[in-house]
Amino acid sequence: YGGYRNKFKFSLKEIGIAQIVTVFMYFITDSRTEFLVCELIILVVICNKYGITNKLKGILKVIEGLFVHLFPLYPLGSLVLPLAYGYVFKNYKSASLILRLFNKINSILTNRVYQTWYDFEFHGFSLFGSNVELVGNGIKSVNKLGVIRSNFIDNEYMNILFSRGAVVFVLFLILTFITLIYLYK
């Protein structure tokens, strides 16, 4: 809010404080997504401070348009990746290059691809959602279940598809896409 109100104009001291807070929050939360988004915002603030954004307005406009118009590919990619991982996981030997590549992607994404595939593989997904409880790997799960396990789908698109069903998923994507196009224009 403050960045928008100030038109992303900050002093170097304020940028430095934001950077320190971002790194500190990363070590506390271990959230790469939050860290990367905050770093992107800091990068935009720095670029704006030194007039780089003004020089790149044409390129940024093209990137913005691509982001908006290619939006439906992001959720579809979120679906294709776990399904492809599952196919490779079941059909390739552990020494194969493609399985090692998929395992590396899964490792970088902290087992999120495998967990999503696992839920789809063993519980499926339906038109109107699943009654399967998605459990994270935290102390509340241990207290509730007596065991440490996690089947939580940590991808909002896939979580909606799994928990709410294909109908809600498609409606959500359509409404989001229409909103993005409207806001873009």
Side-chain angles (χ1 to χ4, degrees):
Y1 170 73
Y4 181 76
R5 186 183 65 218
N6 293 330
K7 299 185 180 180
F8 292 99
K9 293 182 180 175
F10 293 95
S11 69
L12 288 176
K13 179 182 173 185
E14 292 168 322
I15 294 170
I17 291 170
Q19 181 63 50
I20 290 168
V21 169
T22 298
V23 171
F24 180 69
M25 289 303 295
Y26 172 72
F27 284 112
I28 290 175
T29 64
D30 196 28
S31 172
R32 288 184 211 157
T33 305
E34 178 184 2
F35 176 74
L36 292 173
V37 168
C38 288
E39 288 299 310
L40 179 64
I41 291 169
I42 290 171
L43 179 65
V44 168
V45 167
I46 291 170
C47 289
N48 190 49
K49 181 168 186 61
Y50 293 105
I52 296 169
T53 51
N54 287 336
K55 295 174 185 171
L56 300 174
K57 273 195 177 177
I59 294 170
L60 293 174
K61 192 71 173 165
V62 169
I63 292 171
E64 183 181 80
L66 287 172
F67 176 80
V68 168
H69 290 93
L70 296 177
F71 167 76
L73 296 179
Y74 312 136
L76 293 177
S78 294
L79 177 60
V80 168
L81 184 61
L83 296 179
Y85 175 83
Y87 176 81
V88 169
F89 184 76
K90 292 191 306 188
N91 294 302
Y92 286 82
K93 296 183 193 265
S94 62
S96 72
L97 178 63
I98 191 160
L99 182 58
R100 287 190 315 216
L101 175 66
F102 269 89
N103 282 334
K104 187 63 173 175
I105 292 169
N106 184 49
S107 175
I108 290 169
L109 296 174
T110 58
N111 205 36
R112 288 176 169 102
V113 179
Y114 173 81
Q115 283 191 174
T116 302
W117 167 74
Y118 181 89
D119 284 337
F120 286 148
E121 177 73 13
F122 292 99
H123 304 295
F125 53 90
S126 69
L127 288 176
F128 300 104
S130 170
N131 290 330
V132 175
E133 183 179 4
L134 296 177
V135 179
N137 196 15
I139 194 69
K140 288 182 182 179
S141 300
V142 174
N143 291 338
K144 184 176 182 180
L145 303 171
V147 295
I148 298 175
R149 72 174 180 92
S150 176
N151 70 339
F152 188 76
I153 298 174
D154 195 16
N155 175 312
E156 284 305 311
Y157 300 123
M158 295 303 94
N159 198 314
I160 291 169
L161 177 60
F162 185 76
S163 300
R164 306 289 180 234
V167 171
V168 172
F169 176 72
V170 169
L171 288 174
F172 172 77
L173 292 184
I174 290 169
L175 290 173
T176 304
F177 187 57
I178 290 170
T179 302
L180 282 173
I181 294 293
Y182 175 76
L183 292 172
Y184 179 70
K185 292 184 187 228

